[in-house]
Amino acid sequence: MTDYAGMHGWDSPDFVERPDFFLPAYMGATTFAKLPLVEDIGEVADQAPDAVIVGAPLDDGTTYRPGARFGPRAIRTANNNYGGFHSLQLGVDVFEVLDVVDAGDANIEPVWLERGYAMVYRKVRDLARTGAVPIVLGGDHGITWPSATAIAEANDPARIGMVHFDAHADTGQVTGPIAGHGSPMRKLLESGAIAGPNFVQVGLRGYWPGEKTLAWMKEKGFRTHFITEIEEQGAEAVVDKAIDEALDGADAIYLSVDIDVLDPAHAPGTGTAEPGGMTTRELLRAVRRIVTAVDLAGMDVVEVSPPFDHADLTSMAANRVVMEALSALAVKKRSGIRIRRSFG
């Protein structure tokens, strides 16, 4: 028999199987950064990771361009790293210091918004109760209502605050039977999960909401920073204010990043793009600084709509938002700061 493999050297011992972690993102597992997939809540509790990734592939609450249901998978695979994750920004080997697993997606069933919110709430609540910091990949911004509610409940009686990057306030008044992606912050306030003065919003711009809603936000104590502040004072100064405000009155913070806070030149793949936003560099630096400064109880990155994305710009930006948060958590853990939460 002719040894064809030997003829070409294909059976050479020099060619060894590489662990999945060392393969490019377009190969092998589709978990975030090729992290272990641990979907069972009991197993997550046993492994006791510092942080846990969870997908919320739900966009039934969108009002304009759909597609954010495809966001979690796109965010997970939108990286060009393989073989290591050393943060040049913070000087830390993220996954050598920080224990992180991917818990898969909430059990969403399309065209059943009420059930979708319930499934997001249950998954995030159960993961939060293990002590890990949940990092939720949306999905439209409506998923922040059940996700942040779950974080508030798991951490009760600690007071949860919200740092919210967005082009839109998302405080719209609900006119139908259930909320959508334009009203999660109003729903969180109305339920009491987060108090008005504990909302810190950065990057708002455009032509919505109107004066009535803005007056309601002011009455409730929202702390709002429009894009004009960033234009006039610079992102650094505005983020400094946001950190001070986030630390005023809240025990821990939920960070919510709507990718449309970025200018569409940096993030075209989103449902309600609004020109004139932040740059990716400004946002990534802001995330690093905020997560370093506050006690992070949970986080989400939402409104990535791959069907409208060009060259994966939006999903890559969202992936890096998560990586910058994880890098900051890793630095804190390396310094001896508690990352995991404990519940009595």
Side-chain angles (χ1 to χ4, degrees), residues 298-318:
M299 172 181 172
D300 65 48
V301 184
V302 300
E303 296 288 354
V304 173
S305 183
F308 299 97
D309 205 5
H310 168 69
D312 297 333
L313 292 175
T314 314
S315 53
M316 285 193 293

Side-chain angles (χ1 to χ4, degrees), residues 221-309:
F222 278 67
R223 309 188 200 204
T224 301
H225 301 282
F226 298 102
I227 199 68
T228 47
E229 286 189 56
I230 294 176
E231 293 168 349
E232 295 164 2
Q233 302 173 26
E236 196 87 356
V238 174
V239 171
D240 282 343
K241 291 181 186 178
I243 290 172
D244 289 342
E245 291 166 347
L247 296 173
D248 177 24
D251 299 306
I253 294 299
Y254 185 101
L255 175 61
S256 184
V257 178
D258 186 327
I259 207 66
D260 71 22
V261 74
L262 296 177
D263 190 277
H266 298 266
T270 190
T272 48
E274 184 63 52
M278 296 178 71
T279 68
T280 305
R281 182 176 63 190
E282 288 172 336
L283 177 60
L284 296 183
R285 177 166 170 78
V287 169
R288 288 197 301 271
R289 295 182 64 229
I290 289 169
V291 175
T292 299
V294 306
D295 182 6
L296 187 70
M299 172 181 172
D300 65 48
V301 184
V302 300
E303 296 288 354
V304 173
S305 183
F308 299 97
D309 205 5

Side-chain angles (χ1 to χ4, degrees), residues 127-277:
L127 289 170
R129 285 175 175 172
T130 71
V133 178
I135 298 179
V136 186
L137 312 179
D140 70 46
H141 216 155
I143 65 97
T144 298
W145 176 26
S147 180
T149 298
I151 296 297
E153 180 179 313
N155 286 271
D156 187 62
R159 295 164 297 176
I160 298 298
M162 169 84 72
V163 177
H164 170 207
F165 285 88
D166 205 330
H168 313 98
D170 289 353
T171 51
Q173 191 159 7
V174 178
T175 55
I178 194 163
H181 75 159
S183 57
M185 307 313 164
R186 181 182 286 263
K187 298 297 287 185
L188 286 164
L189 182 139
E190 290 177 341
S191 71
I194 299 177
N198 292 337
F199 280 96
V200 182
Q201 300 182 307
V202 179
L204 305 192
R205 62 189 187 278
Y207 301 89
W208 181 87
E211 291 184 0
K212 181 178 179 180
T213 299
L214 290 174
W216 177 86
M217 290 165 58
K218 185 175 182 180
E219 175 191 336
K220 297 300 181 182
F222 278 67
R223 309 188 200 204
T224 301
H225 301 282
F226 298 102
I227 199 68
T228 47
E229 286 189 56
I230 294 176
E231 293 168 349
E232 295 164 2
Q233 302 173 26
E236 196 87 356
V238 174
V239 171
D240 282 343
K241 291 181 186 178
I243 290 172
D244 289 342
E245 291 166 347
L247 296 173
D248 177 24
D251 299 306
I253 294 299
Y254 185 101
L255 175 61
S256 184
V257 178
D258 186 327
I259 207 66
D260 71 22
V261 74
L262 296 177
D263 190 277
H266 298 266
T270 190
T272 48
E274 184 63 52

Side-chain angles (χ1 to χ4, degrees), residues 41 44 52 121-134 147 150-155 297-298 340-343:
I41 298 296
V44 175
V52 57
Y121 161 77
R122 293 180 192 179
K123 182 107 177 178
V124 176
R125 177 199 61 191
D126 293 347
L127 289 170
R129 285 175 175 172
T130 71
V133 178
S147 180
I151 296 297
E153 180 179 313
N155 286 271
R340 283 182 49 80
R341 316 189 72 73
S342 58
F343 303 103

